[in-house]
Amino acid sequence: MHTKTLAELSRGLAAGEYTSVDLTRHFLQRIEALGGELNCLITVTADQALAQAREADERRARGEAGPLTGIPLVHKDIFCTDGVKTSCGSKMLDNFIAPYDATVVRKLKEAGMPMLGKANMDEFAMGSSNETSFYGAVKNPWNTDTVPGGSSGGSAAVVAAHLAPFATGTDTGGSIRQPAALCGITGLKPTYGRVSRYGMIAFASSLDQGGPMTRTAEDAAMVLNVMAGFDERDSTSVEREVPDYTDGLDKPLRGLRIGLPREYFGEGLNAGVAKVIEAAIDQYKQLGAEVIEVGLPNAELSVPTYYVVAPAECSSNLSRFDGVRFGYRCEEPKDLEDLYKRSRGEGFGPEVKRRIMIGTYALSAGYYDAYYLKAQKMRHLISDDFRQAFEQVDVIMGPTAPDVAFKLGEKSDDPVSMYLSDIYTIAANLAGLPGMSIPAGFVDGLPVGLQIIGNYFDEARLLNVAHKYQQSTNWHEQIPKGF
Ligand code: GLN
């Protein structure tokens, strides 16, 4: 059962081949047998999952089941889940039981999807390897000596190892796409504002966006149908109709204009990865697409821009963790200042502290214009490049990450080299554009992701473009040994 896609499971449930309780038990057994080795889950909610599965089966018996009813999922531990620990990968929230559901959690619950547990992640979603988690590193199912990517590395490992057919992720600078690439699965970061951020613990509010991590584009379309949509509780959510994303999946690609940005194929790209991407582009040509070279001249500014904007916003967002209202509180504080200082000093890990310090500095009175304001201007230039490119092409393609999964510990002492893992993904966040990563091949036995960036609210096209490729290739069907 676990090797089936979400779409196949949906059909199997509808045909009565198995029940939701059967499915949920099966995935819980796999989690018990294999989850520990990968360290991909922080919390397993077996009782809740089985209760929800029973409800889903009853709902089906009443003839009220939707396409997702009864299919189990895992949530990244950044999404608030009512009555369930929501740690955000941090000691700061190790004791935090969320008192409400995030909108995404609520919608998927209402669709009838039992929750198996909460996925491990980089602390407060800051990282590209899942090594900054308070709960320890996650391992990549393709090679357990390597990282799964981050920050949604737990979610990616869960899906790649077939411990659930679907997991939620969030992407601030690449955290859905990069781990999807490194684990050989399909990940979609929607347009900023497409999916509600309510109840999604904030890292950098102008960049954060939740999205699906699945095996196939078809599966992503099915869950995006439920995840997307306006939410009055999120002031940045966009009021715009949600199409049925499964409708246009089979549209032929004849005449599709693919833009290849020169800047995404230069220095720093692993030669093996470049070959895989070239082969994927050739496949698209065979499917009838036309390839056009485009320029994103300001792309090289994206990493430096991001590392001003994201820390600035995080320094402000994380000021709420002060040891007073919720989360970790130090032992026996001497006075209020000691309470603040020690609670934050002891509750946050080194990467989070680094970001808070950079952000606080960039926002300070004397430096605001030089850093934050300048970064906002650069953000405009980056968005403008895309606007011009999308006048010529329908989608932009390139590698998701410059390399395949690296060894655990390899970049831990070198933050800049870690930050460069997102060199191809960050620009889409700065511009607010949707982006996907789909499996496109292997280098040294490790998966490579093809990135597809689309115009605003063009998720349906991205899914169509990804689906047609998956219909004509089998990279997404490969299974890591032992899983
Ligand atoms: N790796 C990037 C960072 O560390 C992006 C993280 C993310 O998208 N949440 O900030």
Side-chain angles (χ1 to χ4, degrees):
M1 276 188 285
H2 56 268
T3 55
K4 293 197 184 336
T5 67
L6 186 140
E8 287 164 349
L9 292 175
S10 177
R11 289 193 283 274
L13 282 166
E17 287 165 28
Y18 31 79
T19 64
S20 177
V21 169
D22 295 336
L23 261 188
T24 304
R25 275 217 180 94
H26 181 72
F27 282 113
L28 284 169
Q29 277 160 8
R30 285 186 63 77
I31 287 173
E32 188 160 328
L34 303 161
E37 179 192 351
L38 299 173
N39 193 30
C40 52
L41 289 152
I42 293 172
T43 305
V44 179
T45 47
D47 293 343
Q48 174 175 327
L50 286 168
Q52 289 175 329
R54 274 190 290 274
E55 260 174 59
D57 286 332
E58 285 162 20
R59 186 164 158 185
R60 187 171 298 281
R62 290 196 302 273
E64 290 164 11
L68 302 180
T69 306
I71 303 171
L73 58 65
V74 163
H75 281 299
K76 183 175 181 179
D77 210 17
I78 197 169
F79 286 98
C80 285
T81 41
D82 190 9
V84 176
K85 170 166 150 174
T86 300
S87 75
C88 220
S90 182
K91 177 176 175 184
M92 184 56 93
L93 290 177
D94 182 46
N95 62 2
F96 178 63
I97 311 286
Y100 68 98
D101 278 331
T103 295
V104 162
V105 171
R106 175 180 58 77
K107 286 177 152 191
L108 293 166
K109 197 187 259 183
E110 284 167 4
M113 302 188 86
M115 179 177 82
L116 301 167
K118 306 285 301 280
N120 200 347
M121 56 180 284
D122 277 304
E123 185 177 9
F124 284 102
M126 298 172 199
S128 301
S129 66
N130 227 297
E131 295 168 293
T132 72
S133 170
F134 172 61
Y135 303 92
V138 174
K139 293 178 180 149
N140 188 323
W142 288 96
N143 176 343
T144 51
D145 293 333
T146 67
V147 304
S151 66
S152 313
S155 301
V158 159
V159 174
H162 302 99
L163 306 186
F166 157 50
T168 52
T170 62
D171 192 311
T172 304
S175 279
I176 288 178
R177 290 161 289 159
Q178 185 257 13
L182 270 47
C183 287
I185 65 160
T186 299
L188 168 64
K189 178 202 98 72
T191 308
Y192 182 76
R194 179 80 290 195
V195 170
S196 169
R197 292 187 298 109
Y198 178 74
M200 206 177 97
I201 296 171
F203 160 14
S205 311
S206 77
L207 302 163
D208 299 340
Q209 186 62 202
M213 303 182 78
T214 53
R215 303 247 304 289
T216 67
E218 184 184 19
D219 292 359
M222 288 175 72
V223 291
L224 188 63
N225 276 347
V226 172
M227 292 173 81
F230 175 66
D231 181 5
E232 61 184 13
R233 290 176 160 143
D234 170 5
S235 60
T236 57
S237 126
V238 176
E239 200 159 0
R240 190 182 168 116
E241 204 187 320
V242 180
D244 182 341
Y245 291 108
T246 60
D247 269 355
L249 286 174
D250 282 311
K251 267 205 337 236
L253 298 187
R254 188 147 305 283
L256 176 81
R257 296 168 305 165
I258 299 177
L260 292 188
R262 286 181 277 290
E263 295 78 5
Y264 279 27
F265 294 88
E267 213 187 311
L269 177 62
N270 170 313
V273 172
K275 272 215 185 97
V276 166
I277 301 303
E278 280 158 26
I281 304 293
D282 282 341
Q283 180 66 23
Y284 273 106
K285 285 188 195 154
Q286 295 204 350
L287 291 169
E290 179 192 344
V291 173
I292 301 162
E293 195 177 285
V294 293
L296 297 174
N298 294 296
E300 60 175 9
L301 301 176
S302 13
V303 173
T305 303
Y306 175 88
Y307 279 97
V308 173
V309 173
E313 294 184 12
C314 106
S315 72
S316 164
N317 273 327
L318 271 57
S319 64
R320 72 192 66 173
F321 303 107
D322 54 8
V324 177
R325 285 162 290 192
F326 40 73
Y328 178 80
R329 178 179 294 172
C330 66
E331 304 267 340
E332 296 175 30
K334 282 202 303 283
D335 52 29
L336 187 61
E337 192 167 323
D338 186 46
L339 168 81
Y340 289 152
K341 279 191 182 157
R342 280 204 291 123
S343 297
R344 287 170 68 80
E346 294 163 18
F348 289 135
E351 183 61 29
V352 172
K353 287 181 188 161
R354 174 160 34 231
R355 307 273 179 119
I356 292 174
M357 285 196 285
I358 295 172
T360 308
Y361 178 81
L363 288 178
S364 59
Y367 296 105
Y368 183 88
D369 288 0
Y371 294 106
Y372 193 70
L373 202 66
K374 187 78 176 263
Q376 292 292 22
K377 290 181 182 163
M378 282 150 68
R379 202 171 168 176
H380 264 281
L381 295 177
I382 292 162
S383 306
D384 239 26
D385 283 357
F386 280 108
R387 195 182 46 73
Q388 286 178 26
F390 282 122
E391 281 169 11
Q392 290 173 268
V393 299
D394 303 308
V395 293
I396 290 173
M397 287 189 188
T400 304
D403 215 332
V404 291
F406 45 91
K407 288 245 156 51
L408 286 152
E410 191 181 312
K411 296 185 197 259
S412 306
D413 299 329
D414 185 354
V416 174
S417 123
M418 187 74 88
Y419 297 170
L420 288 173
S421 306
D422 295 318
I423 188 159
Y424 305 130
T425 48
I426 279 178
N429 299 79
L430 290 167
L433 293 165
M436 256 186 116
S437 180
I438 58 173
F442 291 84
V443 169
D444 301 331
L446 291 166
V448 174
L450 170 74
Q451 182 173 212
I452 316 169
I453 299 175
N455 211 338
Y456 297 105
F457 296 98
D458 218 2
E459 285 81 4
R461 192 198 302 266
L462 288 188
L463 289 161
N464 165 226
V465 167
H467 179 69
K468 292 304 277 184
Y469 179 80
Q470 293 184 333
Q471 296 254 287
S472 62
T473 57
N474 63 4
W475 302 116
H476 60 290
E477 289 169 0
Q478 305 307 308
I479 297 177
K481 241 215 223 100
F483 297 97

